[in-house]
Amino acid sequence: VFFGVMVGEQGPSLLEYNVRWGDPETQSILPLLDYDIGDLFEAVALGDISNQRPSFRDGSAVGITIAAPGYPGSYPTGIPVRSMPKPSANHLVFHAATSRSHDGTVLTGGGRCFTAVGLGDDYFKAHAAAMDAAMKVEFDGAWYRPDIGKNFFLD
C-alpha cells in the first residue's frame, strides 16, 4: 500500500493510492511492519481477516531509488555493479530486475535498479542511512536524488 504524493505551491496533493509489492514506496513501508505478514496473507486466503491486527514499529523509513543512466527515458541494461553496501541493521537494499552474469557479477536490468531503504528513529536518521547505502551502490552512470522527502522540512 502506498500513497503517491506531490508537494506543490498549495501543499501536498495525493496523486495515487496503490498496492504493489515491488514498488519503492512499498519497499519503504514494509520494513516498519512489526507483524508476520504471512498471517495476514493466510487470513485473506481463508476469507476472514477479522482477527488480524497488523502493527508498525515506531520509527521512520526512507527509500532512495538508484537508477540507470538515462532513466526515466531510454537506459542501458546489463551494466556491471562494482559494489554494494554491506548488510546493516539500519538499511536494506532491494534489487529491481537485476541478474547475475556467468561469473556472479550483478548486472542492472531496468531503469530503477535498486532501492536503498534507510531506517531510523526519525526521518533525518532514516534519510542519512538511506543516503549512506545509496552512495555505496556503484555502477557506471548510477544516479539518485538526494532530496527525497526533504520538501516537508523546508521553511
Side-chain angles (χ1 to χ4, degrees):
V1 176
F2 75 86
F3 303 92
V5 177
M6 179 73 69
V7 180
E9 290 180 19
Q10 303 298 318
S13 297
L14 180 65
L15 298 179
E16 62 181 326
Y17 172 85
N18 217 324
V19 179
R20 293 190 300 231
W21 291 104
D23 281 339
E25 296 86 352
T26 303
Q27 294 165 349
S28 296
I29 293 170
L30 285 181
L32 296 175
L33 187 63
D34 190 21
Y35 174 84
D36 185 344
I37 200 164
D39 291 343
L40 181 60
F41 290 160
E42 180 180 24
V44 168
L46 294 173
D48 182 10
I49 62 169
S50 62
N51 292 324
Q52 300 302 306
R53 301 288 181 265
S55 61
F56 288 85
R57 66 183 179 91
D58 289 336
S60 295
V62 173
I64 296 176
T65 297
I66 299 96
Y71 179 82
S74 297
Y75 50 83
T77 60
I79 304 169
V81 178
R82 289 188 302 276
S83 73
M84 297 282 296
K86 293 187 183 329
S88 166
N90 69 346
H91 73 257
L92 301 162
V93 177
F94 291 91
H95 290 237
T98 60
S99 63
R100 288 199 182 267
S101 67
H102 64 281
D103 68 358
T105 302
V106 175
L107 304 172
T108 65
R112 293 188 299 192
C113 303
F114 301 94
T115 302
V117 177
L119 305 169
D121 294 334
D122 59 33
Y123 163 82
F124 300 101
K125 290 177 183 172
H127 186 269
M131 283 295 298
D132 182 58
M135 290 186 292
K136 292 176 180 165
V137 175
E138 296 180 1
F139 59 89
D140 289 346
W143 69 277
Y144 53 87
R145 289 185 42 200
D147 63 328
I148 297 300
K150 288 192 173 187
N151 282 345
F152 287 108
F153 300 101
L154 298 177
D155 290 331

